[in-house]
């Protein structure tokens, strides 16, 4: 009888934490499931550990695990909201994507910086169906650790990578450094087009042209 009761408690706790974690991940958003950054990975591991501890130690009060899980939820949602408002804070948490191959050439300095060796690069390229680096025009290591690959077009013509200049009304200083431009250059372009920076959702630079998508252009 005691064994049956213990098994019943474990079953109930397991079912409870299953639905609790499901709700938590729904609240945190689909990004948590499809793309784990450093912070997302930490939160996921902690939630899994807290749930496992509570299921194993079924004699302990269940609220001892619920409270820290809900605390993690509040922290994660708050950080995600704050990151949307403060791009520099988002970069501090998640970092920036790193260009590993540019115009068909491997960026060894960036690979060293990211502790990313040539074997890692080749494995991910093969995993995406490419046999050699010579086939690739651009390869970008995303914040989630996945490699986005852009092969050369069939005619082998170089296609410049779009460089983000403005994201959700905020100027990307790292991009301006790569282009040897300053913020005045951006504001002059916007003034000529009679557009306020706060109205810009996304602006990028490609083929010596400046492309702008405003909030009003979105669905």
């Amino acid at each position: 009888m005691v064994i049956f009761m213990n098994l019943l408690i474990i079953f109930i706790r397991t079912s409870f934490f299953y639905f609790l974690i499901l709700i938590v991940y729904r609240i945190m958003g689909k990004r948590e499931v499809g793309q784990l950054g450093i912070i997302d990975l930490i939160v996921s591991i902690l939630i899994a550990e807290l749930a496992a501890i509570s299921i194993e130690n079924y004699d302990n009060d269940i609220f001892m695990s619920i409270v820290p899980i809900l605390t993690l939820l509040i922290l994660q949602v708050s950080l995600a909201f704050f990151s949307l408002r403060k791009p520099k804070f988002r970069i501090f948490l998640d970092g920036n994507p790193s260009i590993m191959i540019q115009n068909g050439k491997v960026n060894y300095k960036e690979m060293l910086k990211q502790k990313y060796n040539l074997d890692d690069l080749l494995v991910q390229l093969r995993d995406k169906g490419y046999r050699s680096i010579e086939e690739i025009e651009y390869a970008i290591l995303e914040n989630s650790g996945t490699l986005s690959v852009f092969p050369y077009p069939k005619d082998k013509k170089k296609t410049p990578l779009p460089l983000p200049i403005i994201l959700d009304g905020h100027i990307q200083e790292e991009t301006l450094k790569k282009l040897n431009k300053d913020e005045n250059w951006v504001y002059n372009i916007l003034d000529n087009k009679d557009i306020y920076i706060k109205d810009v959702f996304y602006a990028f630079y490609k083929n010596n042209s400046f492309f702008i998508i405003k909030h009003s252009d979105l669905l």
Side-chain angles (χ1 to χ4, degrees):
M1 188 66 179
V2 175
I3 295 176
F4 174 77
M5 288 301 297
N6 289 340
L7 290 175
L8 181 61
I9 292 171
I10 292 174
F11 173 78
I12 293 172
R13 284 195 174 216
T14 302
S15 301
F16 172 79
F17 278 107
Y18 172 82
F19 288 106
L20 176 63
I21 293 173
L22 179 64
I23 294 170
V24 166
Y25 273 86
R26 284 290 188 183
I27 295 173
M28 287 197 295
K30 292 182 179 179
R31 178 177 179 272
E32 305 301 322
V33 177
Q35 176 183 334
L36 288 178
I38 296 174
I39 303 299
D40 307 324
L41 182 61
I42 292 172
V43 170
S44 298
I45 292 173
L46 286 175
I47 289 176
E49 285 294 322
L50 288 167
I53 290 171
S54 182
I55 292 171
E56 291 175 358
N57 302 320
Y58 50 82
D59 291 331
N60 295 339
D61 191 341
I62 194 171
F63 286 100
M64 297 299 290
S65 294
I66 294 176
V67 171
I69 288 176
L70 294 180
T71 301
L72 288 172
L73 169 62
I74 294 170
L75 283 173
Q76 182 67 2
V77 172
S78 300
L79 287 174
F81 179 80
F82 193 65
S83 295
L84 289 174
R85 301 296 179 183
K86 300 292 182 181
K88 290 184 177 179
F89 183 71
R90 181 174 67 243
I91 291 171
F92 172 75
L93 289 179
D94 295 333
N96 277 320
S98 302
I99 299 177
M100 295 301 178
I101 299 177
Q102 186 171 9
N103 294 325
K105 297 181 179 179
V106 176
N107 189 343
Y108 287 106
K109 289 183 179 180
E110 192 63 31
M111 288 179 65
L112 289 173
K113 181 180 176 182
Q114 299 299 328
K115 311 295 188 297
Y116 196 83
N117 60 49
L118 188 58
D119 285 338
D120 295 328
L121 180 63
L122 294 174
V123 166
Q124 292 218 39
L125 289 179
R126 288 195 297 269
D127 186 57
K128 295 180 182 295
Y130 300 103
R131 300 178 184 179
S132 66
I133 294 174
E134 286 72 22
E135 299 177 57
I136 311 303
E137 186 175 10
Y138 292 100
I140 302 173
L141 184 64
E142 306 292 354
N143 297 333
S144 61
T146 58
L147 191 71
S148 298
V149 180
F150 303 90
Y152 276 108
K154 292 182 179 179
D155 55 12
K156 203 67 175 180
K157 289 182 179 179
K158 291 185 176 181
T159 55
L161 189 69
L163 298 173
I165 303 295
I166 301 174
L167 294 178
D168 202 14
H170 297 278
I171 294 175
Q172 304 302 296
E173 297 177 0
E174 289 297 321
T175 302
L176 292 182
K177 289 179 182 178
K178 292 177 182 177
L179 295 172
N180 292 320
K181 305 289 186 180
D182 56 21
E183 292 188 2
N184 291 330
W185 173 73
V186 178
Y187 284 114
N188 286 335
I189 293 175
L190 294 178
D191 288 341
N192 291 333
K193 296 179 179 292
D194 197 26
I195 298 175
Y196 293 104
I197 191 169
K198 64 181 178 63
D199 296 327
V200 178
F201 176 72
Y202 178 50
F204 63 93
Y205 188 75
K206 182 179 180 182
N207 288 333
N208 296 320
S209 298
F210 201 90
F211 300 87
I212 298 174
I213 300 173
K214 297 185 292 184
H215 286 284
S216 58
D217 298 328
L218 303 176
L219 293 176

